[in-house]
Amino acid sequence: MLRTALAGLRAYRLRLLLTSLAIVLGVGFIAGTFVLNDTVQAGFAQRVTADAGKVDVAVLAGDGVLAEDVLRRVRAVAGVTDAQGLVRGPAPLLGKDGRAVGDLPTTAISVVRGPLQRTTIVAGTGPGTDDRAAVLDENTARVNGFRLGDDVVLLGPGGERHTFELVGLLDPGVDQELAFTGAVGLTTSAALRMTGGKGYHEIDVAGDAPGLKQAVAAAAGPGAEVRTGEELAADLAHAAGLEMRTLTVGLLLFGVVAMMVAALVIYNTFTILVAQRARELALLRCIGATRGQVFGSVLLESGVVGLLASALGLAAGYGLAALALALLAAFDAPLPTDASVALTPVTIAVGAAVGLVVTVGAALLPARSATRVPPVAALRTQADEQAFRTGAARWSAAALFLLGGAGTTGFGVWGMPPGQAPTLVVVMAGGMLTFLAVLVLGPVLVRPLTAVVGRLPARLAGVPGRLALDNAARNPRRAATTTVALTIGVTLMTVISVLSASTRATVTEKLDEQFPVDYLLSAQGGEAAVPRSVAGELRRAPELDSVLQVRETPARVTGRTGGARTYDLGTFHGPVTPEVVAGSMAAGLAEGQVALLDRVATELGVRVGDTVQVSVRAKGRDTEGRAGSVPLRVVAVLGGGGAALPPLTVAESAFDRYAGALPDARVFVTIRDGVPADRARAVVREAVAAYPTVRLSSSTEVRGEFDETLDMLLMIVTGLLGLAILISLLGIANTLSLSVHERSRESALLRALGLTRPQLRRMLSVEALVLGLVGALVGVVLGGLYGWVAVLAMLDGAVLSVPVGQVVLFVALSGVAGVVASLVPARRAARASIAGALAAG
C-alpha cells in the first residue's frame, strides 16, 4: 500500500500542484511573520544590549525624580567609577516657520560624556560641555529641514525661547517614544533648564565591586528601583518589542484566515480525487486491501503533500520576511532592520506542523469516504455521480448554527455596551456561527443561486452557456466547496469596506450635527495651554461667527458603583448644542450641578437626579483643602459620539472656583457666512501668532487626516486579505481542472455531437464565471450584514454606509478572476483527443 500510495502521488502530481500552492502561500505567510518577528526582536536585543551593556547598575526613579543628593550618594559608593544622571522631558522645538513641530512636544534628553554615553551620534558630534549646542534625531532634522550648523529654537518651561547650535544628529534606536515625538540632545545642565526638571529619571552607574547593586540600592534609598545592566537590557528589550508583538498577532490572524481557505481547497481537491479514483480504490479492495489500508493511503498522500508544501512555504516565508525588512528600511521605519534574517528551529517546527496538520486534517473526510467505496465499483465501466440529498441532519445543523449565530450577534449588539473589546469578540463569535450555517447550507443554496446568477450569461453564451449552467448546478456539493473559499475572502473584504465607510459617515455626521466648526485651536500635546485672551480676540473679529471655549482638568469622581475614577472635569463658554439623552441643559448649569457623558454615567452607575463626589486636582495640588470633595447633582446625560464637551461639565464660575483660572484646552471657531476661508484663517493665525505651541487645524484637515488613516488601514487590510483571495482562486482553478478531467468523456461526447473547441472553452469559462459570482454574492451579503453589525458594536449611534462601488467591484473582480482561473483547464479540455477520451471512458 505504501508503494501504491507513492505511485498515486506521482500519477496525480500535476493535479496536486495547485493544492500545494495553497499550502505554500498559507505556510509562507505564517512563517514569514515569525521570521520577521524573530529578526526584529533579535535586532532589538542586539541594540538594547549594546547600549545597556555599558551600564553595570541603573537606578530608576519610582514616583517622581531622583534628586541631586541621590546622585552624590551613589557616586560616593565604594567601587563606583562613574555615575551619570539622565534627564528626560518635553521641550517644544520650533520649526523654521516659528511654530512648534509635531503633535507632541519634542523630548529633550541629556547626552553624557565618557563610558556611560548611550546616545548614538550618527553625524557631527555630541554637545560635549557646550550648553549652547544641541543634537537632533535624524528624522526630525530631515522633515523640518535642519542641517548641521543651523540654529534651533526650543521653548523653556515658561514658554521662553532658547537658541542652540545644531552640532550633530542622533539615532533614537529602539526607543519608540523618541522615534514618535522626536528627540533633542543637550548637556545635562541645559536639559534640566529646558525641561524644568528638578532631578533625574535615571542614574547610570559603572563599577566592578562585588555587591555593587546592593550598595547602590542602599545609597539611593527606598524610593528608587535598582537594576543590573542585564536586567535593564531585558526590560528595555521587552518594552521595545511590545509593538512588534502586537503586529505579529495581527499578521498571524491573517495567516490563520489564509490557512482556513487553504484547508477548504485541500478538502475539495481530495474529495474530487477520491471520487475520480473510485474504481482504483475498489480494485484495491477486491485484491485484499482493507478499509484501514485505503484510509491510510489517502492520508499518506496528504501527508507527503503537506510536508513538501510546508518546506516550500518556509522558503517563501523567508523571502517574504526579507522583502518586508527591505521595505521597512526603505521607509525609515523605527525598527531595527539590520539584523540578519534567519529561520529559527521554532519557526521551522511551527510552519511544518501547521502545513501538515491542516493538510492531513482537511483530507480526513475524503479519506473516510474512500473507505466506503464498495469493491463491486471496480466492475463498473464508469463511476456513477452521486446524487445530492439534503437530509434532516443538514437542516438541523444549519438551523442550530443559524440560531446560535443570530442569538450571539443580537446579544453583542443590544445586550452589551458598544466600543468594548468583549462586545466585538461576541459579535465575531456570532459571525463565525452564522458562516458555519451558510457553509452547511452551501450545497442547498448553490442551485437557486446559480439559476439566478447564470441566467444572463447562459442567455448571452447560447448553448455553451446553458450547458455551463447545468454543469454548475449538477454537483452542488462540489460547487459549494469551490465557492466557499472565495466567499471567505469577499466576506472579509466587504466587512472592512462597510466598517470603514460607516465609521467615516458616523464621525462626519456627529461632527456636522453637534459641532459644525471651521477651525480648532489646541495646545501641543493636548494640554490646557491656549490663553483665554486668544478667544477674546477672536470674538472681536468681524470675520468670525462664533467662538466656543472648552476648559478641563483631571478630577477624581466617585459614583454609586464605589471606588474613585479619574475623568476630565470641565466647562465651556460660547454656543454649543450637545445631544441630551436624559435630563435637560436648556436653562444652563447652576452651582452644584453637573452634566455627564453617557459612557461616564454608565461607568459610575448614576442617572439624572443622583449625586457624584468630585475632587479636583489642578496645578499639582489637590483642592480639597480649599473646596473640599464637592457633591454635584447630575442634571443631564449627554451623548458621547464626537462630543467636544468634557466627560463632566459644570458651570463656568464653579469650574474656576474648583480648579483656578486655567487656560483653554480647546477653542472651536466658526466662520461668518460670506467670509472667504483664506481671510478667516489669516485672522485666526494672527491671533495665535504669539503662541507657537497653539496648533491651528481646520475641520476639513481633521476629517482629511481621519479619512487618510482609514484609507491607509483599508489598503493594508485589503492587501493582506488578497492572499486569501489568491488561494481561493487557486482552489477554483484546481476544482475546474479536476472537473475537466473527471468529465473528459462527457466533453468528448459533446465534441462528437458538434460542439466546437471555442464553444467548449466558452462553456467552461461561463461555468467558472457563475461559480465566482455565486461565491462573491454570498460573501457580499454576509460581509455587508456583519460589517454593519461590527459598526453597531463599535460606535454608539452608528450611521450605515455601504460603499456600493467597492462592493460591485468585488463582485465583478470575482467573476473575472473565475474566468481567468478557467483558461488553462478550458484550453486543456479543448485540445484533448475526442477518440482518445471516449476510449478512455
Side-chain angles (χ1 to χ4, degrees):
M1 289 301 297
L2 176 62
R3 290 194 297 271
T4 301
L6 296 177
L9 280 172
R10 290 191 295 270
Y12 298 105
R13 59 184 180 274
L14 293 179
R15 304 185 198 182
L16 295 171
L17 175 62
L18 292 177
T19 301
S20 301
L21 286 178
I23 295 296
V24 168
L25 290 175
V27 173
F29 195 91
I30 292 178
T33 300
F34 274 104
V35 171
L36 179 64
N37 179 70
D38 292 341
T39 302
V40 175
Q41 294 291 354
F44 278 138
Q46 291 172 8
R47 297 180 66 171
V48 169
T49 302
D51 291 339
K54 302 177 181 178
V55 179
D56 293 304
V57 175
V59 182
L60 307 178
D63 294 331
V65 295
L66 300 169
E68 184 68 33
D69 63 331
V70 176
L71 178 60
R72 286 196 297 268
R73 293 199 302 269
V74 170
R75 284 175 173 169
V77 172
V80 171
T81 59
D82 191 13
Q84 297 288 342
L86 304 183
V87 180
R88 188 186 187 109
L93 168 70
L94 300 188
K96 294 192 174 181
D97 60 353
R99 310 298 302 174
V101 302
D103 294 326
L104 294 173
T106 309
T107 300
I109 60 173
S110 57
V111 180
V112 302
R113 295 181 300 156
L116 290 175
Q117 204 279 94
R118 291 162 50 192
T119 305
T120 303
I121 304 297
V122 295
T125 63
T129 59
D130 187 358
D131 286 349
R132 308 308 303 172
V135 294
L136 289 177
D137 68 280
E138 298 173 283
N139 185 63
T140 299
R142 184 183 69 254
V143 170
N144 295 281
F146 288 114
R147 298 182 178 180
L148 295 182
D150 288 351
D151 288 340
V152 294
V153 179
L154 301 177
L155 297 182
E160 67 279 6
R161 303 183 181 218
H162 300 266
T163 302
F164 297 83
E165 180 186 359
L166 183 61
V167 297
L169 301 178
L170 64 87
D171 179 3
V174 298
D175 194 316
Q176 300 297 297
E177 180 185 358
L178 296 185
F180 182 69
T181 65
V184 54
L186 307 167
T187 63
T188 301
S189 58
L192 286 170
R193 187 173 69 253
M194 296 308 304
T195 61
K198 304 300 182 182
Y200 309 103
H201 82 284
E202 180 181 333
I203 296 175
D204 289 347
V205 181
D208 55 4
L212 184 62
K213 177 182 178 181
Q214 291 75 14
V216 170
E225 301 176 6
V226 181
R227 300 278 192 276
T228 64
E230 292 79 6
E231 293 169 344
L232 178 64
D235 291 344
L236 292 176
H238 175 75
L242 284 178
E243 293 186 7
M244 187 61 205
R245 282 186 283 275
T246 302
L247 175 63
T248 300
V249 172
L251 290 175
L252 285 177
L253 289 177
F254 288 99
V256 170
V257 172
M259 290 306 296
M260 285 176 55
V261 178
L264 291 170
V265 173
I266 297 163
Y267 168 76
N268 201 27
T269 300
F270 277 96
T271 298
I272 297 175
L273 284 178
V274 167
Q276 290 179 354
R277 296 164 58 189
R279 292 183 63 195
E280 173 189 326
L281 298 174
L283 183 60
L284 290 174
R285 294 289 310 282
C286 284
I287 61 176
T290 64
R291 289 190 174 188
Q293 288 176 318
V294 172
F295 182 81
S297 68
V298 177
L299 289 189
L300 177 62
E301 293 180 18
S302 65
V304 173
V305 171
L307 284 177
L308 293 177
S310 297
L312 294 175
L314 289 170
Y318 182 91
L320 287 173
L323 177 62
L325 289 172
L327 292 175
L328 289 173
F331 286 99
D332 295 325
L335 296 173
T337 57
D338 51 356
S340 58
V341 183
L343 279 172
T344 64
V346 174
T347 300
I348 295 174
V350 170
V354 168
L356 181 61
V357 169
V358 169
T359 307
V360 175
L364 282 176
L365 288 179
R368 182 170 175 267
S369 299
T371 63
R372 296 182 174 180
V373 178
V376 72
L379 304 177
R380 299 172 184 163
T381 58
Q382 185 174 358
D384 295 331
E385 191 170 272
Q386 296 180 353
F388 171 74
R389 296 180 178 86
T390 303
R394 183 179 297 272
W395 283 111
S396 300
L400 184 63
F401 284 130
L402 191 59
L403 289 175
T408 305
T409 302
F411 175 73
V413 173
W414 291 289
M416 301 180 68
Q420 304 293 326
T423 305
L424 291 176
V425 172
V426 170
V427 169
M428 288 174 59
M432 293 180 65
L433 290 173
T434 304
F435 184 81
L436 288 175
V438 174
L439 186 63
V440 172
L441 287 177
V444 181
L445 299 174
V446 162
R447 283 178 175 168
L449 288 177
T450 52
V452 173
V453 172
R455 180 175 301 173
L456 181 60
R459 182 174 300 176
L460 295 177
V463 173
R466 292 194 293 273
L467 290 172
L469 192 59
D470 291 338
N471 287 334
R474 189 174 61 187
N475 193 330
R477 182 182 287 110
R478 182 177 63 208
T481 311
T482 302
T483 59
V484 74
L486 184 62
T487 299
I488 291 178
V490 175
T491 297
L492 294 175
M493 294 182 71
T494 306
V495 166
I496 297 301
S497 298
V498 172
L499 186 62
S500 173
S502 299
T503 302
R504 183 183 289 112
T506 301
V507 173
T508 300
E509 181 174 290
K510 293 294 184 182
L511 289 174
D512 289 341
E513 288 182 356
Q514 297 184 39
F515 310 104
V517 299
D518 296 301
Y519 297 106
L520 168 65
L521 300 180
S522 59
Q524 188 184 55
E527 298 180 356
V530 181
R532 296 190 185 188
S533 59
V534 172
E537 182 179 348
L538 293 175
R539 283 195 176 90
R540 293 190 293 270
E543 295 86 355
L544 305 179
D545 181 50
S546 65
V547 177
L548 170 64
Q549 299 167 259
V550 176
R551 295 187 286 277
E552 59 190 18
T553 190
R556 299 287 289 172
V557 185
T558 305
R560 297 179 62 183
T561 56
R565 296 171 179 258
T566 300
Y567 297 102
D568 281 337
L569 174 76
T571 189
F572 66 94
H573 180 75
V576 63
T577 307
E579 176 191 357
V580 181
V581 297
S584 175
M585 285 183 61
L589 294 172
E591 290 279 341
Q593 296 180 343
V594 64
L596 308 180
L597 294 185
D598 49 5
R599 65 172 180 84
V600 177
T602 301
E603 292 171 0
L604 294 176
V606 298
R607 53 188 177 183
V608 174
D610 291 341
T611 299
V612 295
Q613 294 288 333
V614 178
S615 174
V616 178
R617 179 175 295 276
K619 297 183 179 179
R621 64 187 184 89
D622 202 318
T623 61
E624 286 191 12
R626 182 178 59 196
S629 179
V630 183
L632 299 177
R633 187 169 63 89
V634 179
V635 297
V637 177
L638 312 178
L645 295 184
L648 287 83
T649 302
V650 297
E652 190 174 6
S653 59
F655 179 82
D656 289 345
R657 184 165 59 86
Y658 301 151
L662 295 181
D664 296 328
R666 297 178 297 279
V667 177
F668 299 87
V669 181
T670 304
I671 304 174
R672 191 176 300 278
D673 292 340
V675 176
D678 292 342
R679 173 58 184 160
R681 188 180 183 90
V683 171
V684 178
R685 287 185 64 87
E686 184 178 351
V688 298
Y691 309 101
T693 59
V694 175
R695 303 184 62 80
L696 166 63
S697 57
S698 67
S699 58
T700 303
E701 291 172 348
V702 172
R703 291 169 187 162
E705 293 176 358
F706 181 76
D707 288 343
E708 287 179 4
T709 302
L710 280 180
D711 291 339
M712 180 182 66
L713 291 175
L714 179 63
M715 180 181 66
I716 294 174
V717 172
T718 302
L720 293 174
L721 291 178
L723 179 66
I725 297 290
L726 177 59
I727 295 175
S728 63
L729 294 181
L730 290 175
I732 292 177
N734 198 15
T735 303
L736 287 173
S737 179
L738 294 169
S739 178
V740 166
H741 178 82
E742 184 181 11
R743 302 188 321 231
S744 58
R745 188 170 184 274
E746 174 188 320
S747 299
L749 183 59
L750 290 173
R751 290 284 312 283
L753 293 175
L755 198 70
T756 63
R757 286 183 174 179
Q759 286 178 321
L760 181 59
R761 288 196 296 266
R762 193 186 314 158
M763 179 189 75
L764 295 174
S765 297
V766 171
E767 181 180 347
L769 171 65
V770 171
L771 291 177
L773 291 178
V774 167
L777 287 176
V778 175
V780 164
V781 172
L782 282 176
L785 173 62
Y786 274 90
W788 173 228
V789 168
V791 174
L792 291 177
M794 292 177 58
L795 301 173
D796 188 19
V799 177
L800 175 63
S801 177
V802 179
V804 178
Q806 291 183 5
V807 171
V808 172
L809 181 63
F810 292 158
V811 175
L813 289 179
S814 299
V816 171
V819 173
V820 172
S822 71
L823 293 179
V824 174
R827 182 170 177 268
R828 185 181 300 118
R831 296 180 63 181
S833 167
I834 297 176
L838 289 173

